[in-house]
Amino acid sequence: SAVISQKPSRDICQRGTSLTIQCQVDSQVTMMFWYRQQPGQSLTLIATANQGSEATYESGFVIDKFPISRPNLTFSTLTVSNMSPEDSSIYLCSVEDLSGRTGNEQFFGPGTRLTVL
Amino acid sequence: AQSVSQHNHHVILSEAASLELGCNYSYGGTVNLFWYVQYPGQHLQLLLKYFSGDPLVKGIKGFEAEFIKSKFSFNLRKPSVQWSDTAEYFCAVNAQGNFNKFYFGSGTKLNVKP
Protein backbone atom coordinates (compact mmCIF):
# COMPACT_ATOMS: atom_id res chain seq x y z
CA SER A 1 0.00 0.00 0.00
CA ALA A 2 1.08 3.56 -0.67
CA VAL A 3 2.17 5.88 2.11
CA ILE A 4 0.85 9.39 1.69
CA SER A 5 1.82 12.52 3.59
CA GLN A 6 0.21 15.92 3.52
CA LYS A 7 1.41 19.36 4.56
CA PRO A 8 0.25 21.26 6.46
CA SER A 9 -1.72 19.01 8.78
CA ARG A 10 -3.86 21.96 9.82
CA ASP A 11 -4.02 25.69 9.36
CA ILE A 12 -6.10 28.67 10.38
CA CYS A 13 -6.38 31.29 7.65
CA GLN A 14 -7.94 34.67 7.13
CA ARG A 15 -10.75 35.29 4.70
CA GLY A 16 -9.52 36.27 1.23
CA THR A 17 -6.15 34.55 1.47
CA SER A 18 -5.02 31.35 -0.27
CA LEU A 19 -3.51 28.15 1.07
CA THR A 20 -1.55 25.52 -0.85
CA ILE A 21 -1.72 21.95 0.42
CA GLN A 22 0.97 19.49 -0.55
CA CYS A 23 0.57 15.76 -1.06
CA GLN A 24 3.58 13.43 -1.28
CA VAL A 25 3.41 9.71 -2.11
CA ASP A 26 6.17 7.19 -1.48
CA SER A 27 5.72 5.53 -4.87
CA GLN A 28 4.92 6.62 -8.41
CA VAL A 29 1.22 6.75 -9.15
CA THR A 30 -0.67 7.72 -12.26
CA MET A 31 -3.71 9.29 -10.71
CA MET A 32 -4.05 11.36 -7.57
CA PHE A 33 -7.32 12.59 -6.16
CA TRP A 34 -8.32 15.51 -3.98
CA TYR A 35 -11.35 15.27 -1.69
CA ARG A 36 -13.10 17.64 0.66
CA GLN A 37 -14.81 16.55 3.86
CA GLN A 38 -16.94 19.31 5.30
CA PRO A 39 -18.03 19.10 8.93
CA GLY A 40 -20.58 16.36 9.40
CA GLN A 41 -20.64 15.46 5.73
CA SER A 42 -19.23 12.78 3.48
CA LEU A 43 -16.10 12.97 1.38
CA THR A 44 -16.64 14.77 -1.90
CA LEU A 45 -14.28 14.44 -4.84
CA ILE A 46 -12.91 17.81 -5.95
CA ALA A 47 -10.71 16.74 -8.86
CA THR A 48 -8.50 14.08 -10.35
CA ALA A 49 -4.89 15.01 -11.07
CA ASN A 50 -2.86 13.21 -13.72
CA GLN A 51 0.78 13.94 -14.30
CA GLY A 52 1.34 15.90 -17.48
CA SER A 53 -2.21 17.06 -18.02
CA GLU A 54 -4.70 19.44 -16.50
CA ALA A 55 -6.74 18.24 -13.59
CA THR A 56 -10.30 17.07 -14.16
CA TYR A 57 -12.77 18.83 -11.88
CA GLU A 58 -16.07 17.51 -10.58
CA SER A 59 -19.30 19.41 -10.85
CA GLY A 60 -19.31 22.34 -8.47
CA PHE A 61 -15.55 22.77 -8.37
CA VAL A 62 -13.56 25.06 -10.66
CA ILE A 63 -9.91 25.55 -11.44
CA ASP A 64 -9.87 29.22 -10.45
CA LYS A 65 -10.95 28.33 -6.93
CA PHE A 66 -9.00 25.08 -6.55
CA PRO A 67 -5.95 25.15 -8.83
CA ILE A 68 -4.03 21.88 -8.81
CA SER A 69 -0.48 21.08 -9.82
CA ARG A 70 0.93 17.64 -10.63
CA PRO A 71 4.58 18.16 -11.54
CA ASN A 72 5.61 14.50 -11.21
CA LEU A 73 4.33 11.03 -10.36
CA THR A 74 4.79 11.35 -6.59
CA PHE A 75 3.60 14.87 -5.79
CA SER A 76 0.60 17.14 -6.14
CA THR A 77 -0.63 20.40 -4.68
CA LEU A 78 -4.12 21.79 -4.17
CA THR A 79 -4.60 25.51 -3.61
CA VAL A 80 -7.70 26.86 -1.95
CA SER A 81 -7.98 30.39 -3.32
CA ASN A 82 -9.67 33.50 -2.00
CA MET A 83 -10.89 31.58 1.02
CA SER A 84 -14.13 32.13 2.86
CA PRO A 85 -15.43 30.48 6.05
CA GLU A 86 -17.40 28.06 3.85
CA ASP A 87 -14.08 26.56 2.74
CA SER A 88 -13.41 25.36 6.28
CA SER A 89 -13.05 21.64 5.81
CA ILE A 90 -10.68 18.71 5.80
CA TYR A 91 -8.90 18.28 2.48
CA LEU A 92 -7.66 14.80 1.64
CA CYS A 93 -5.32 13.49 -0.99
CA SER A 94 -5.68 9.92 -2.22
CA VAL A 95 -4.15 7.56 -4.75
CA GLU A 96 -5.46 4.42 -6.33
CA ASP A 97 -4.05 0.96 -5.81
CA LEU A 98 -3.19 -0.51 -9.19
CA SER A 99 -2.93 -4.07 -7.93
CA GLY A 100 -4.18 -5.51 -11.16
CA ARG A 101 -7.69 -6.20 -9.94
CA THR A 102 -10.82 -4.41 -10.96
CA GLY A 103 -12.44 -1.92 -8.68
CA ASN A 104 -9.29 -0.22 -7.51
CA GLU A 105 -9.32 0.79 -3.89
CA GLN A 106 -7.90 4.12 -2.86
CA PHE A 107 -5.40 5.00 -0.17
CA PHE A 108 -5.82 8.25 1.71
CA GLY A 109 -3.50 10.77 3.22
CA PRO A 110 -3.96 12.07 6.78
CA GLY A 111 -5.81 15.16 5.60
CA THR A 112 -5.35 18.88 6.09
CA ARG A 113 -7.77 20.54 8.49
CA LEU A 114 -8.45 24.07 7.29
CA THR A 115 -10.26 26.71 9.31
CA VAL A 116 -11.07 30.02 7.67
CA LEU A 117 -11.90 32.94 9.95
CA ALA B 1 -25.61 10.22 -10.25
CA GLN B 2 -24.75 7.57 -7.75
CA SER B 3 -25.33 8.20 -4.06
CA VAL B 4 -24.58 6.37 -0.85
CA SER B 5 -26.71 6.54 2.28
CA GLN B 6 -25.65 5.67 5.78
CA HIS B 7 -28.67 5.94 8.00
CA ASN B 8 -26.96 5.71 11.36
CA HIS B 9 -25.02 8.89 12.05
CA HIS B 10 -24.00 8.09 15.59
CA VAL B 11 -24.08 4.72 17.31
CA ILE B 12 -23.23 4.04 20.94
CA LEU B 13 -22.68 0.47 22.09
CA SER B 14 -21.27 -1.31 25.08
CA GLU B 15 -18.39 -3.71 24.67
CA ALA B 16 -19.43 -7.19 23.47
CA ALA B 17 -22.59 -5.85 21.84
CA SER B 18 -23.25 -6.74 18.23
CA LEU B 19 -22.91 -4.11 15.52
CA GLU B 20 -24.69 -3.56 12.26
CA LEU B 21 -24.21 -0.36 10.26
CA GLY B 22 -26.46 0.22 7.29
CA CYS B 23 -25.32 1.28 3.83
CA ASN B 24 -27.49 1.67 0.76
CA TYR B 25 -26.46 2.91 -2.65
CA SER B 26 -28.29 4.03 -5.73
CA TYR B 27 -26.91 2.68 -8.98
CA GLY B 28 -28.38 0.06 -11.26
CA GLY B 29 -25.19 -1.25 -12.82
CA THR B 30 -22.15 -3.14 -11.63
CA VAL B 31 -20.56 -1.67 -8.54
CA ASN B 32 -17.69 -2.30 -6.20
CA LEU B 33 -18.32 -1.66 -2.53
CA PHE B 34 -16.05 -0.62 0.29
CA TRP B 35 -16.06 0.11 3.98
CA TYR B 36 -13.40 2.49 5.24
CA VAL B 37 -12.65 3.22 8.89
CA GLN B 38 -11.05 6.26 10.47
CA TYR B 39 -9.77 5.77 14.00
CA PRO B 40 -9.32 8.92 16.09
CA GLY B 41 -6.34 10.90 14.80
CA GLN B 42 -5.57 8.42 12.04
CA HIS B 43 -5.93 8.12 8.26
CA LEU B 44 -8.87 6.62 6.49
CA GLN B 45 -8.07 2.97 5.94
CA LEU B 46 -9.78 0.15 4.13
CA LEU B 47 -11.76 -2.25 6.30
CA LEU B 48 -13.10 -4.54 3.58
CA LYS B 49 -14.24 -4.53 -0.03
CA TYR B 50 -16.50 -6.41 -2.40
CA PHE B 51 -15.68 -6.79 -6.08
CA SER B 52 -17.45 -10.01 -7.09
CA GLY B 53 -18.11 -13.57 -5.95
CA ASP B 54 -19.27 -14.48 -2.45
CA PRO B 55 -21.50 -11.62 -1.29
CA LEU B 56 -20.39 -12.13 2.31
CA VAL B 57 -17.06 -10.41 2.66
CA LYS B 58 -14.76 -10.72 5.64
CA GLY B 59 -12.40 -7.92 6.54
CA ILE B 60 -9.90 -7.06 9.19
CA LYS B 61 -10.54 -7.10 12.93
CA GLY B 62 -13.52 -9.44 12.74
CA PHE B 63 -15.68 -7.20 10.55
CA GLU B 64 -17.79 -8.55 7.73
CA ALA B 65 -20.26 -7.12 5.25
CA GLU B 66 -22.96 -8.63 3.10
CA PHE B 67 -23.79 -7.40 -0.38
CA ILE B 68 -27.50 -7.80 -1.11
CA LYS B 69 -27.95 -6.74 -4.70
CA SER B 70 -31.75 -6.76 -4.61
CA LYS B 71 -31.71 -4.33 -1.72
CA PHE B 72 -28.79 -2.21 -2.98
CA SER B 73 -27.25 -2.70 0.43
CA PHE B 74 -23.84 -3.44 1.89
CA ASN B 75 -24.26 -3.51 5.65
CA LEU B 76 -21.29 -3.81 7.97
CA ARG B 77 -21.42 -6.23 10.89
CA LYS B 78 -19.36 -7.36 13.83
CA PRO B 79 -20.67 -9.90 16.36
CA SER B 80 -18.91 -8.43 19.39
CA VAL B 81 -17.44 -4.93 19.42
CA GLN B 82 -14.48 -3.78 21.45
CA TRP B 83 -13.60 -0.38 22.85
CA SER B 84 -10.87 -0.17 20.19
CA ASP B 85 -13.55 -0.22 17.47
CA THR B 86 -14.46 3.35 18.39
CA ALA B 87 -14.06 5.16 15.08
CA GLU B 88 -15.93 6.66 12.17
CA TYR B 89 -17.02 4.25 9.44
CA PHE B 90 -17.60 5.21 5.82
CA CYS B 91 -19.31 3.20 3.13
CA ALA B 92 -18.16 3.86 -0.44
CA VAL B 93 -19.09 2.76 -3.92
CA ASN B 94 -17.49 2.95 -7.31
CA ALA B 95 -19.20 1.99 -10.51
CA GLN B 96 -18.35 0.14 -13.69
CA GLY B 97 -17.19 2.57 -16.32
CA ASN B 98 -15.68 4.93 -13.78
CA PHE B 99 -13.87 2.94 -11.16
CA ASN B 100 -11.72 5.91 -10.24
CA LYS B 101 -14.64 7.87 -8.89
CA PHE B 102 -15.69 6.95 -5.38
CA TYR B 103 -18.95 8.00 -3.79
CA PHE B 104 -18.90 8.08 -0.01
CA GLY B 105 -21.65 7.95 2.56
CA SER B 106 -21.79 10.59 5.26
CA GLY B 107 -20.19 8.30 7.82
CA THR B 108 -21.26 6.70 11.08
CA LYS B 109 -19.52 7.54 14.32
CA LEU B 110 -19.30 4.53 16.59
CA ASN B 111 -18.58 4.95 20.28
CA VAL B 112 -17.98 1.76 22.22
CA LYS B 113 -18.24 2.15 25.97
CA PRO B 114 -15.82 0.02 28.00
Side-chain angles (χ1 to χ4, degrees):
Chain A
S1 63
V3 176
I4 304 168
S5 59
Q6 285 185 233
K7 288 183 184 178
S9 58
R10 59 177 64 223
D11 207 342
I12 300 173
C13 300
Q14 296 295 323
R15 181 195 298 261
T17 62
S18 297
L19 176 73
T20 295
I21 302 168
Q22 299 178 6
C23 177
Q24 181 76 51
V25 188
D26 69 344
S27 57
Q28 293 186 339
V29 293
T30 303
M31 301 177 79
M32 296 176 76
F33 306 88
W34 286 99
Y35 286 84
R36 180 174 73 182
Q37 184 181 13
Q38 293 181 301
Q41 298 187 27
S42 66
L43 283 75
T44 303
L45 182 63
I46 297 172
T48 303
N50 291 332
Q51 194 266 336
S53 63
E54 284 204 1
T56 303
Y57 289 83
E58 297 299 310
S59 176
F61 298 97
V62 295
I63 188 171
D64 290 346
K65 176 67 176 177
F66 297 101
I68 287 171
S69 78
R70 184 76 203 276
N72 58 51
L73 292 174
T74 63
F75 187 79
S76 178
T77 67
L78 170 77
T79 299
V80 186
S81 302
N82 188 25
M83 288 184 284
S84 66
E86 292 72 34
D87 295 320
S88 296
S89 186
I90 298 173
Y91 292 86
L92 295 127
C93 170
S94 79
V95 303
E96 63 176 344
D97 169 32
L98 294 176
S99 62
R101 295 169 292 188
T102 59
N104 305 325
E105 67 181 84
Q106 290 190 1
F107 296 100
F108 287 85
T112 296
R113 185 180 292 271
L114 170 63
T115 302
V116 184
L117 303 177
Chain B
Q2 295 89 334
S3 66
V4 180
S5 299
Q6 291 181 244
H7 308 295
N8 315 104
H9 298 295
H10 196 183
V11 173
I12 301 173
L13 294 173
S14 297
E15 276 195 315
S18 64
L19 170 72
E20 180 159 3
L21 301 182
C23 173
N24 289 90
Y25 66 93
S26 65
Y27 182 70
T30 301
V31 295
N32 300 305
L33 298 147
F34 307 80
W35 276 97
Y36 281 86
V37 60
Q38 188 167 29
Y39 297 102
Q42 296 189 28
H43 303 195
L44 268 172
Q45 54 187 284
L46 185 70
L47 199 56
L48 50 77
K49 58 189 174 186
Y50 172 80
F51 290 166
S52 63
D54 189 344
L56 183 62
V57 179
K58 295 192 183 298
I60 60 172
K61 304 186 180 185
F63 285 90
E64 64 179 31
E66 185 174 12
F67 171 47
I68 303 180
K69 189 174 182 179
S70 61
K71 295 185 178 179
F72 298 89
S73 70
F74 190 56
N75 292 354
L76 181 70
R77 300 194 293 249
K78 185 171 184 177
S80 176
V81 295
Q82 300 173 306
W83 176 78
S84 58
D85 294 323
T86 294
E88 189 159 15
Y89 294 81
F90 293 90
C91 182
V93 171
N94 65 15
Q96 187 176 47
N98 197 358
F99 286 131
N100 296 317
K101 185 163 183 178
F102 277 58
Y103 296 88
F104 282 84
S106 56
T108 299
K109 288 186 179 176
L110 172 65
N111 282 334
V112 180
K113 296 186 291 186

